[in-house]
Amino acid sequence: MVEFGQKLQAGAFHAHPVSTYCLKNDPTIGLNIWEADSPEAFEQAFAPQRKYYAAVMEIVPVITPQEAQKILMEQLAYHPR
């Protein structure tokens, strides 16, 4: 972990999480939000750092709140109550 932290601070990796949070009850577990243009771009950016992660539980694409609002509004327009 120390080596990973030192490399992050030194800028050894070209891409890193946009934001990182850890669980309060177990600070060894973190949630990282990354930004990438595609799944392939994410895998390429994450590859050099993967060895520092003991386990990757799940990789899930996310969207911005603005994108979510647009999708929800379109769904409401097609399925009015």
Side-chain angles (χ1 to χ4, degrees):
M1 185 59 96
V2 172
E3 177 188 352
F4 180 55
Q6 290 171 339
K7 286 186 176 188
L8 278 175
Q9 287 182 339
F13 302 115
H14 296 290
H16 55 83
V18 172
S19 58
T20 300
Y21 296 91
C22 296
L23 299 181
K24 185 175 183 177
N25 293 334
D26 186 352
T28 65
I29 298 175
L31 169 67
N32 294 322
I33 306 295
W34 291 62
E35 189 171 324
D37 293 330
S38 67
E40 295 79 17
F42 166 78
E43 287 298 334
Q44 184 178 11
F46 185 62
Q49 300 176 52
R50 187 176 289 276
K51 70 180 183 178
Y52 296 105
Y53 289 84
V56 176
M57 301 296 186
E58 189 174 11
I59 297 174
V60 179
V62 297
I63 57 177
T64 65
Q66 294 81 7
E67 291 170 310
Q69 181 180 17
K70 180 181 178 199
I71 290 168
L72 292 170
M73 296 303 286
E74 289 172 355
Q75 288 175 352
L76 285 173
Y78 289 119
H79 304 288
R81 294 185 180 216

